[in-house]
Every structure is written in structure tokens, then in C-alpha cells.
Amino acid sequence: MPLVPPYIASLRPYEAGRSAEEVKREHGLASVVKLASNENPLGPSPRAVAALCKASSELNLYPNGGLDLRRVLAAAFDLKVENVIAGSGSEGIMSTIIRAFLCDEDEVLTTEAAFIGFQVLARSRGVKYRTVPYRDWHYDLPALAAGINENTKIIYLANPNNPTGTIFTRHEFDDFYRHVPERVLIILDEAYFEYAKDNPRYPDSMHYRYDNVITLRTFSKVYGLAGARIGYGFAHEELIANLLKVKLPFEPSTTAQAAGIAALGDKEFLHRSLELNVRGLRFLTSALRESGYTVVPSDANFVMLVLHDAGEAAGLFERLLASGVIVRPLASFGLPQCLRVSTGTDEQNRRCVEAFAAARSV
Ligand SMILES: Cc1ncc(COP(=O)(O)O)c(C=O)c1O
């Protein structure tokens, strides 16, 4: 028996995109625009930063497992504390779900090229990981429903989806849900919920609190707290109770929890972030299309571009880097012919579009 199980040995560690500093150094550039990780270009909410600094005076004490944040979220969403979990980012909670619910013979079902964080976590459990292709860059929910078998334990759906930026509608989800047995857990990953919630076709999962659905959300995106590692989830109390048995008892950290609570209260920052994103999405989509690129319509804080093939995408990525614009290649997701571009400040978006136009004419 090898020391490392084959399903771990075959994994590749998560590759963080290249940092702005690295790219500056490599290409001798004075400034670099990084639009690669769907981060908030406005920085963190100032109120969250103040709360985080204040909470740091108590770093000698162990955290309370996210209880304060759970209470705040329960009050805000009219739930019981028992329906809420908080963790080290939504990925931290995904990891807990995988540990709590998957047995060796279980299967995971999702779309092709799903969010890389989920892919890695699920594959690292060594269970069968099954996917169905996209339909026009959207989840093919009827095909997913048809793909459920007696071993399916978890279905993972991100809405909006990363990396395509597309959504499925309430109507589509209702149709799908009818085909899902109660023994199957649906993870509804709503990391980009805030960006999509004003789209009338978008299904806010708070409106269908089924017993086998867990909603995951995060402070990493619109709240600008990706570095703090704080996320949360809503589900039936029995589901949450089992997750709490497995969760690392001291996540999230004291400072992350304090930042999350304060960020929830900073409506002005939220509003400003969303406004900037709406402008950015419109601009990136239309300007990149005008330059001849295929851009998938997005409801998140990024757009996906579809090139002819992997070679074209890789060449374009390198030319953009050389001109000081970092975007996200999607080969590790399973889409080597695509690139993902996050929205930035107005100035960053302009620079990005100029770089794409120049890279096209090379
Ligand atoms: C769909 C999706 N889910 C979850 C995450 C991870 O969020 P967190 O930082 O809360 O772990 C991301 C981050 O990019 C994401 O795109």
C-alpha cells in the first residue's frame, strides 16, 4: 500500500495566479493590473478593517466557533442559529461537508469544469467524481437530473457559476429539484449571490429551504474579505448539527468573524461595490466584444472569454501579462481554451480592454 493514496498523488496543488509584484519584476513594468481572482477592487470595507483591528486585541483567546456571526446572520435572515454555520471561507465549509457526508462508495455529481476549489476537495476524498457537459456555458440541469444514480450523494451547483458567470433560473431549479431524491445533498454555492440577486430570474435559495439543500455564501467577494477567510452556510438544523461535529472547532478566526459582522452592516460599501461591478461588467462585455472576442454574458463579478483553442488562449494570456494585465487561465478548471477576467476599478477595466485590443492585433 503506497503512503500516498493514488487519488491524492494524482491531484495537482492549487496554483495561485502570479502576483502583481512578480509580474512587475519579470516584465520590468511600473504598474500591473490583476483581474484574476474575482476580488473586490475597492479593497475591504473600512468598517470591517476597523472591527478586525479592534478584535485583534483578543487574539490571545480561542475563538467561539463563529457563534457571534451565526447569531447575526440568523437575525438578519430570520432563521434559527441552528440553521447557520460559519467557517474559514465557503471552501472551509465545503471541506467540512465532504468530511461529514461522503462515504467511500458515494459519488459526487456536478458540471464539467466546476469551480476548481470544489473539484480539488471532492477528488481528494477519493470518491467517484462525475460530471455532465455545459449546455451553452450553463449548467445542464436536466442532464444532471438524469445522471443521478443510487450512489449519488452530493450534487454541487454554483449559481452564479465560476468560471462561466452564468446562472440557472428559479424555474429551472424547481424542475430539477423534483428529480432529486431526499437522500442526495445539494450544495448551492452562492459565492456571487450579491451580484446576481437583482436579476428577477435569479433564484435566491433562501426561498426554497429544502431539507437536503445547503446554501453557501462568502465574505470573500463583494465584501472584499478574501484574505480574512470567512464564509457561511444555511441548512436544515440536523444537517448543520452534523457539520458542527466535524468542523474544526476554532474556525473561523476571531478577527475574521469580527470583520464579517462589520461588513454585513456596511451597506454603503456594498452598494458602491455593486454599482462599480455593474458598470464594469457592461463595459468589459461590450468593449471586449467590439474587439472581436467571444464573451459569455455574466451575472457575477467576472466574464469568461472563449478563444478558438488552448494555444490561442495561452498566447493571449502571455501577451496580456507582458503588457501588465493579469487574467485567469482556465486550463486547471478544464477549459484551456478560455480565460476569465474579473471586473476592476473603471481605470483597471479601461487598461484591460486596451491590452486585449492590442493583443488581438499582434
Ligand atoms: C464558486 C465559488 N465558490 C467558493 C469560492 C471560495 O470562496 P471562499 O473564499 O469563501 O472560500 C469561490 C472563490 O473564488 C468561488 O468562485
Side-chain angles (χ1 to χ4, degrees):
M1 191 61 183
L3 179 63
V4 181
Y7 53 85
I8 300 289
S10 64
L11 288 176
R12 276 200 272 149
Y14 178 79
E15 272 177 51
R18 263 182 273 181
S19 74
E21 282 315 308
E22 231 179 301
V23 174
K24 267 190 211 170
R25 231 180 304 119
E26 268 173 34
H27 293 275
L29 295 160
S31 79
V32 160
V33 172
K34 181 167 178 269
L35 299 176
S37 301
N38 306 341
E39 296 151 338
N40 189 327
L42 294 178
S45 140
R47 280 170 63 172
V49 174
L52 185 145
C53 292
K54 188 155 172 260
S56 64
S57 67
E58 293 194 352
L59 281 175
N60 56 315
L61 305 176
Y62 279 104
N64 65 4
L67 187 60
D68 301 344
L69 176 60
R70 291 172 67 206
R71 287 193 175 125
V72 170
L73 287 164
F77 289 94
D78 201 16
L79 299 166
K80 289 186 286 184
V81 175
E82 290 77 12
N83 295 120
V84 187
I85 187 168
S88 295
S90 48
E91 269 197 76
I93 305 173
M94 271 182 228
S95 159
T96 305
I97 295 172
I98 281 166
R99 268 184 295 137
F101 297 118
L102 284 179
C103 304
D104 291 348
E105 65 282 4
D106 291 338
E107 297 185 7
V108 168
L109 179 63
T110 186
T111 187
E112 69 171 312
F115 166 54
I116 186 74
F118 178 77
Q119 285 195 49
V120 170
L121 283 171
R123 292 183 200 276
S124 71
R125 177 61 185 77
V127 298
K128 194 159 182 192
Y129 181 90
R130 290 174 48 238
T131 61
V132 303
Y134 286 118
R135 191 166 33 86
D136 195 20
W137 300 117
H138 289 70
Y139 274 83
D140 188 342
L141 291 183
L144 277 163
I148 298 170
N149 65 25
E150 66 278 11
N151 292 325
T152 306
K153 174 64 87 57
I154 288 180
I155 300 179
Y156 171 79
L157 309 173
N159 202 30
N161 182 43
N162 177 12
T164 59
T166 52
I167 61 163
F168 51 81
T169 65
R170 183 174 186 146
H171 177 67
E172 285 167 334
F173 183 77
D174 286 345
D175 273 355
F176 166 77
Y177 186 75
R178 253 179 258 134
H179 296 94
V180 182
E182 275 173 22
R183 62 173 170 81
V184 177
L185 175 67
I186 302 174
I187 302 178
L188 264 182
D189 181 343
E190 294 183 340
Y192 302 95
F193 160 80
E194 293 83 1
Y195 300 107
K197 70 180 182 349
D198 293 332
N199 180 339
R201 300 171 72 235
Y202 178 71
D204 176 348
S205 70
M206 291 307 291
H207 296 144
Y208 37 78
R209 291 270 37 107
Y210 303 129
D211 291 355
N212 59 341
V213 173
I214 180 159
T215 294
L216 298 182
R217 292 189 186 162
T218 183
F219 288 96
S220 296
K221 304 300 172 184
V222 77
Y223 293 105
L225 291 175
R229 310 309 303 132
I230 179 86
Y232 57 99
F234 301 122
H236 187 279
E237 53 214 66
E238 207 180 301
L239 256 169
I240 297 288
N242 280 297
L243 289 176
L244 293 178
K245 293 176 194 167
V246 172
K247 182 180 88 65
L248 295 180
F250 299 121
E251 68 167 279
S253 74
T254 308
T255 43
Q257 171 169 254
I261 292 171
L264 272 181
D266 195 346
K267 299 294 177 212
E268 189 273 335
F269 180 80
L270 179 68
H271 188 66
R272 219 156 26 98
S273 303
L274 290 175
E275 260 187 3
L276 175 64
N277 185 61
V278 167
R279 223 168 36 240
L281 266 191
R282 276 201 204 117
F283 175 67
L284 286 178
T285 307
S286 63
L288 291 173
R289 282 183 180 160
E290 273 167 34
S291 294
Y293 291 101
T294 301
V295 184
V296 178
S298 168
D299 275 282
N301 66 341
F302 55 87
V303 290
M304 189 174 85
L305 278 71
V306 186
L307 289 308
H308 290 111
D309 53 38
E312 188 188 357
L316 180 58
F317 171 74
E318 289 300 334
R319 289 199 293 286
L320 291 168
L321 264 195
S323 65
V325 173
I326 312 175
V327 300
R328 182 75 156 102
L330 295 175
S332 63
F333 280 65
L335 297 174
Q337 77 283 28
C338 298
L339 296 176
R340 194 189 65 199
V341 185
S342 311
T343 59
T345 60
D346 294 328
E347 174 53 29
Q348 288 173 330
N349 294 336
R350 259 194 303 278
R351 185 157 162 205
C352 170
V353 161
E354 282 166 16
F356 265 97
R360 182 119 200 141
S361 54
V362 170

